[in-house]
Short mmCIF file of all heavy atoms in Angstrom, two decimals:
data_model
loop_
_atom_site.label_atom_id
_atom_site.label_comp_id
_atom_site.label_asym_id
_atom_site.label_seq_id
_atom_site.Cartn_x
_atom_site.Cartn_y
_atom_site.Cartn_z
N HIS A 468 -6.68 -5.61 10.46
CA HIS A 468 -5.28 -5.90 10.78
C HIS A 468 -4.67 -6.86 9.76
O HIS A 468 -3.50 -6.73 9.37
CB HIS A 468 -5.18 -6.51 12.18
CG HIS A 468 -5.41 -5.52 13.28
ND1 HIS A 468 -5.82 -5.89 14.55
CD2 HIS A 468 -5.28 -4.17 13.32
CE1 HIS A 468 -5.94 -4.81 15.30
NE2 HIS A 468 -5.63 -3.76 14.57
N HIS A 469 -5.48 -7.82 9.33
CA HIS A 469 -5.01 -8.81 8.35
C HIS A 469 -4.71 -8.13 7.01
O HIS A 469 -3.62 -8.31 6.45
CB HIS A 469 -6.08 -9.88 8.18
CG HIS A 469 -5.79 -10.87 7.09
ND1 HIS A 469 -5.18 -12.09 7.32
CD2 HIS A 469 -6.03 -10.82 5.74
CE1 HIS A 469 -5.06 -12.74 6.17
NE2 HIS A 469 -5.57 -12.00 5.21
N VAL A 470 -5.67 -7.37 6.51
CA VAL A 470 -5.52 -6.74 5.20
C VAL A 470 -4.31 -5.81 5.16
O VAL A 470 -3.59 -5.73 4.16
CB VAL A 470 -6.81 -5.97 4.81
CG1 VAL A 470 -6.59 -5.08 3.61
CG2 VAL A 470 -7.94 -6.97 4.54
N HIS A 471 -4.07 -5.10 6.26
CA HIS A 471 -2.94 -4.17 6.31
C HIS A 471 -1.67 -4.81 6.82
O HIS A 471 -0.71 -4.11 7.17
CB HIS A 471 -3.31 -2.96 7.16
CG HIS A 471 -4.35 -2.09 6.52
ND1 HIS A 471 -5.70 -2.19 6.84
CD2 HIS A 471 -4.28 -1.13 5.57
CE1 HIS A 471 -6.38 -1.32 6.12
NE2 HIS A 471 -5.55 -0.66 5.34
N ALA A 472 -1.63 -6.15 6.84
CA ALA A 472 -0.43 -6.91 7.18
C ALA A 472 0.14 -6.54 8.54
O ALA A 472 1.34 -6.47 8.74
CB ALA A 472 0.64 -6.72 6.09
N GLU A 473 -0.75 -6.28 9.50
CA GLU A 473 -0.32 -5.91 10.84
C GLU A 473 -0.36 -7.10 11.80
O GLU A 473 0.24 -7.04 12.89
CB GLU A 473 -1.22 -4.79 11.38
CG GLU A 473 -1.08 -3.50 10.59
CD GLU A 473 -2.17 -2.49 10.92
OE1 GLU A 473 -3.10 -2.87 11.66
OE2 GLU A 473 -2.10 -1.36 10.43
N SER A 474 -1.06 -8.16 11.44
CA SER A 474 -1.18 -9.33 12.30
C SER A 474 -0.78 -10.56 11.51
O SER A 474 -0.52 -10.50 10.30
CB SER A 474 -2.62 -9.48 12.81
OG SER A 474 -3.50 -9.77 11.74
N TYR A 475 -0.74 -11.68 12.21
CA TYR A 475 -0.34 -12.93 11.58
C TYR A 475 -1.26 -14.06 12.05
O TYR A 475 -1.32 -14.36 13.25
CB TYR A 475 1.12 -13.24 11.93
CG TYR A 475 1.60 -14.60 11.49
CD1 TYR A 475 1.51 -15.01 10.17
CD2 TYR A 475 2.16 -15.49 12.41
CE1 TYR A 475 1.95 -16.26 9.76
CE2 TYR A 475 2.62 -16.75 12.02
CZ TYR A 475 2.51 -17.12 10.69
OH TYR A 475 2.95 -18.35 10.29
N LEU A 476 -2.03 -14.63 11.12
CA LEU A 476 -2.90 -15.79 11.31
C LEU A 476 -4.15 -15.53 12.14
O LEU A 476 -5.05 -16.38 12.18
CB LEU A 476 -2.13 -16.96 11.95
CG LEU A 476 -1.03 -17.60 11.10
CD1 LEU A 476 -0.42 -18.79 11.87
CD2 LEU A 476 -1.54 -18.07 9.75
N VAL A 477 -4.26 -14.40 12.81
CA VAL A 477 -5.40 -14.16 13.70
C VAL A 477 -6.72 -14.20 12.94
O VAL A 477 -7.67 -14.88 13.35
CB VAL A 477 -5.23 -12.81 14.44
CG1 VAL A 477 -6.53 -12.44 15.17
CG2 VAL A 477 -4.08 -12.90 15.43
N TYR A 478 -6.81 -13.49 11.83
CA TYR A 478 -8.06 -13.45 11.08
C TYR A 478 -8.39 -14.82 10.50
O TYR A 478 -9.56 -15.22 10.45
CB TYR A 478 -7.99 -12.40 9.97
CG TYR A 478 -9.26 -12.29 9.17
CD1 TYR A 478 -10.42 -11.77 9.73
CD2 TYR A 478 -9.32 -12.73 7.85
CE1 TYR A 478 -11.60 -11.68 9.00
CE2 TYR A 478 -10.48 -12.65 7.11
CZ TYR A 478 -11.62 -12.12 7.70
OH TYR A 478 -12.79 -12.04 6.98
N ASN A 479 -7.38 -15.55 10.06
CA ASN A 479 -7.62 -16.89 9.52
C ASN A 479 -8.27 -17.79 10.57
O ASN A 479 -9.20 -18.55 10.28
CB ASN A 479 -6.31 -17.51 9.05
CG ASN A 479 -5.54 -16.62 8.10
OD1 ASN A 479 -5.17 -15.51 8.47
ND2 ASN A 479 -5.27 -17.10 6.91
N ILE A 480 -7.78 -17.72 11.80
CA ILE A 480 -8.33 -18.54 12.89
C ILE A 480 -9.77 -18.13 13.18
O ILE A 480 -10.65 -18.98 13.32
CB ILE A 480 -7.47 -18.39 14.15
CG1 ILE A 480 -6.06 -18.97 13.92
CG2 ILE A 480 -8.13 -19.06 15.35
CD1 ILE A 480 -5.06 -18.57 14.97
N MET A 481 -10.01 -16.83 13.24
CA MET A 481 -11.33 -16.34 13.64
C MET A 481 -12.37 -16.48 12.53
O MET A 481 -13.55 -16.61 12.80
CB MET A 481 -11.23 -14.88 14.08
CG MET A 481 -10.31 -14.69 15.28
SD MET A 481 -10.16 -12.96 15.78
CE MET A 481 -11.78 -12.70 16.51
N SER A 482 -11.94 -16.43 11.29
CA SER A 482 -12.90 -16.50 10.19
C SER A 482 -13.17 -17.93 9.75
O SER A 482 -14.32 -18.37 9.70
CB SER A 482 -12.42 -15.66 9.00
OG SER A 482 -11.16 -16.12 8.54
N SER A 483 -12.12 -18.68 9.44
CA SER A 483 -12.31 -20.03 8.90
C SER A 483 -11.91 -21.14 9.85
O SER A 483 -12.25 -22.30 9.62
CB SER A 483 -11.50 -20.18 7.60
OG SER A 483 -10.11 -20.09 7.88
N GLY A 484 -11.19 -20.80 10.92
CA GLY A 484 -10.71 -21.83 11.82
C GLY A 484 -9.73 -22.77 11.16
O GLY A 484 -9.66 -23.96 11.50
N GLU A 485 -8.93 -22.22 10.26
CA GLU A 485 -8.00 -23.05 9.50
C GLU A 485 -6.73 -22.26 9.24
O GLU A 485 -6.77 -21.11 8.79
CB GLU A 485 -8.64 -23.47 8.17
CG GLU A 485 -7.85 -24.48 7.38
CD GLU A 485 -8.66 -25.06 6.23
OE1 GLU A 485 -9.66 -24.42 5.82
OE2 GLU A 485 -8.31 -26.15 5.75
N ILE A 486 -5.58 -22.85 9.56
CA ILE A 486 -4.30 -22.18 9.31
C ILE A 486 -3.33 -23.18 8.73
O ILE A 486 -3.53 -24.39 8.79
CB ILE A 486 -3.71 -21.56 10.60
CG1 ILE A 486 -3.44 -22.64 11.65
CG2 ILE A 486 -4.61 -20.47 11.15
CD1 ILE A 486 -2.68 -22.13 12.86
N GLU A 487 -2.25 -22.65 8.16
CA GLU A 487 -1.24 -23.50 7.59
C GLU A 487 0.15 -22.93 7.86
O GLU A 487 0.30 -21.75 8.13
CB GLU A 487 -1.43 -23.67 6.07
CG GLU A 487 -1.48 -22.38 5.29
CD GLU A 487 -2.88 -21.78 5.25
OE1 GLU A 487 -3.85 -22.56 5.20
OE2 GLU A 487 -2.99 -20.54 5.30
N CYS A 488 1.13 -23.80 7.82
CA CYS A 488 2.53 -23.40 7.96
C CYS A 488 3.34 -24.24 6.98
O CYS A 488 3.23 -25.47 6.97
CB CYS A 488 3.02 -23.60 9.38
SG CYS A 488 4.74 -23.11 9.64
N SER A 489 4.16 -23.58 6.20
CA SER A 489 4.91 -24.27 5.15
C SER A 489 6.10 -25.03 5.72
O SER A 489 6.25 -25.20 6.92
CB SER A 489 5.37 -23.23 4.11
OG SER A 489 5.93 -23.87 2.99
N ASN A 490 6.97 -25.47 4.82
CA ASN A 490 8.10 -26.31 5.21
C ASN A 490 9.12 -25.56 6.04
O ASN A 490 9.29 -24.35 5.90
CB ASN A 490 8.78 -26.87 3.96
CG ASN A 490 7.83 -27.60 3.05
OD1 ASN A 490 7.06 -26.97 2.33
ND2 ASN A 490 7.88 -28.92 3.06
N THR A 491 9.80 -26.31 6.90
CA THR A 491 10.89 -25.80 7.71
C THR A 491 12.09 -26.72 7.49
O THR A 491 11.93 -27.91 7.25
CB THR A 491 10.49 -25.81 9.20
OG1 THR A 491 9.28 -25.06 9.36
CG2 THR A 491 11.57 -25.18 10.07
N LEU A 492 13.30 -26.17 7.57
CA LEU A 492 14.49 -26.99 7.43
C LEU A 492 14.64 -27.88 8.66
O LEU A 492 15.24 -27.50 9.66
CB LEU A 492 15.72 -26.11 7.23
CG LEU A 492 15.93 -25.54 5.83
CD1 LEU A 492 17.16 -24.65 5.77
CD2 LEU A 492 16.03 -26.65 4.77
N GLU A 493 14.05 -29.07 8.56
CA GLU A 493 14.08 -30.05 9.64
C GLU A 493 14.52 -31.38 9.06
O GLU A 493 14.05 -31.80 7.99
CB GLU A 493 12.71 -30.20 10.29
CG GLU A 493 12.22 -28.93 10.99
CD GLU A 493 10.81 -29.04 11.52
OE1 GLU A 493 10.04 -29.89 11.00
OE2 GLU A 493 10.46 -28.27 12.42
N ASP A 494 15.38 -32.06 9.78
CA ASP A 494 15.90 -33.35 9.34
C ASP A 494 14.97 -34.45 9.82
O ASP A 494 14.87 -34.72 11.01
CB ASP A 494 17.31 -33.54 9.92
CG ASP A 494 17.96 -34.83 9.43
OD1 ASP A 494 17.36 -35.51 8.57
OD2 ASP A 494 19.06 -35.15 9.91
N GLU A 495 14.33 -35.10 8.88
CA GLU A 495 13.37 -36.15 9.25
C GLU A 495 14.04 -37.36 9.89
O GLU A 495 13.38 -38.17 10.54
CB GLU A 495 12.56 -36.59 8.03
CG GLU A 495 13.39 -37.24 6.93
CD GLU A 495 12.55 -37.66 5.75
OE1 GLU A 495 11.32 -37.54 5.85
OE2 GLU A 495 13.12 -38.10 4.72
N LEU A 496 15.35 -37.49 9.72
CA LEU A 496 16.08 -38.62 10.31
C LEU A 496 16.60 -38.32 11.70
O LEU A 496 17.11 -39.22 12.38
CB LEU A 496 17.25 -39.02 9.39
CG LEU A 496 16.88 -39.43 7.96
CD1 LEU A 496 18.12 -39.80 7.17
CD2 LEU A 496 15.90 -40.61 7.98
N ASP A 497 16.49 -37.08 12.14
CA ASP A 497 16.97 -36.70 13.47
C ASP A 497 15.81 -36.75 14.45
O ASP A 497 14.96 -35.86 14.47
CB ASP A 497 17.59 -35.30 13.41
CG ASP A 497 18.13 -34.85 14.76
OD1 ASP A 497 18.11 -35.67 15.71
OD2 ASP A 497 18.55 -33.69 14.87
N GLN A 498 15.78 -37.79 15.27
CA GLN A 498 14.69 -37.94 16.23
C GLN A 498 14.95 -37.19 17.53
O GLN A 498 14.08 -37.12 18.39
CB GLN A 498 14.49 -39.43 16.55
CG GLN A 498 14.03 -40.26 15.35
CD GLN A 498 12.61 -39.94 14.93
OE1 GLN A 498 11.75 -39.77 15.77
NE2 GLN A 498 12.37 -39.85 13.63
N ALA A 499 16.15 -36.63 17.68
CA ALA A 499 16.48 -35.96 18.94
C ALA A 499 15.81 -34.60 19.05
O ALA A 499 15.51 -34.15 20.16
CB ALA A 499 18.00 -35.81 19.07
N LEU A 500 15.62 -33.95 17.93
CA LEU A 500 14.96 -32.63 17.96
C LEU A 500 13.56 -32.75 17.38
O LEU A 500 13.39 -33.23 16.26
CB LEU A 500 15.76 -31.60 17.15
CG LEU A 500 16.99 -31.01 17.82
CD1 LEU A 500 17.74 -30.08 16.86
CD2 LEU A 500 16.61 -30.24 19.08
N PRO A 501 12.55 -32.32 18.12
CA PRO A 501 11.17 -32.39 17.62
C PRO A 501 10.91 -31.35 16.54
O PRO A 501 11.65 -30.39 16.38
CB PRO A 501 10.34 -32.09 18.87
CG PRO A 501 11.24 -31.26 19.71
CD PRO A 501 12.63 -31.76 19.47
N SER A 502 9.85 -31.54 15.83
CA SER A 502 9.44 -30.57 14.82
C SER A 502 8.90 -29.32 15.48
O SER A 502 8.23 -29.37 16.52
CB SER A 502 8.37 -31.18 13.91
OG SER A 502 7.79 -30.18 13.09
N GLN A 503 9.15 -28.19 14.84
CA GLN A 503 8.62 -26.93 15.37
C GLN A 503 7.10 -26.95 15.43
O GLN A 503 6.50 -26.28 16.28
CB GLN A 503 9.12 -25.77 14.51
CG GLN A 503 8.62 -25.76 13.06
CD GLN A 503 7.30 -25.06 12.87
OE1 GLN A 503 6.89 -24.27 13.71
NE2 GLN A 503 6.63 -25.34 11.77
#
Side-chain angles (χ1 to χ4, degrees):
H468 287 157
H469 174 95
V470 168
H471 291 98
E473 295 167 353
S474 67
Y475 172 56
L476 293 182
V477 169
Y478 181 69
N479 307 60
I480 294 166
M481 299 179 72
S482 59
S483 65
E485 188 169 20
I486 61 172
E487 56 274 325
C488 181
S489 188
N490 306 76
T491 304
L492 281 178
E493 296 174 338
D494 184 6
E495 64 180 354
L496 301 180
D497 181 5
Q498 296 290 318
L500 281 176
S502 169
Q503 65 87 20

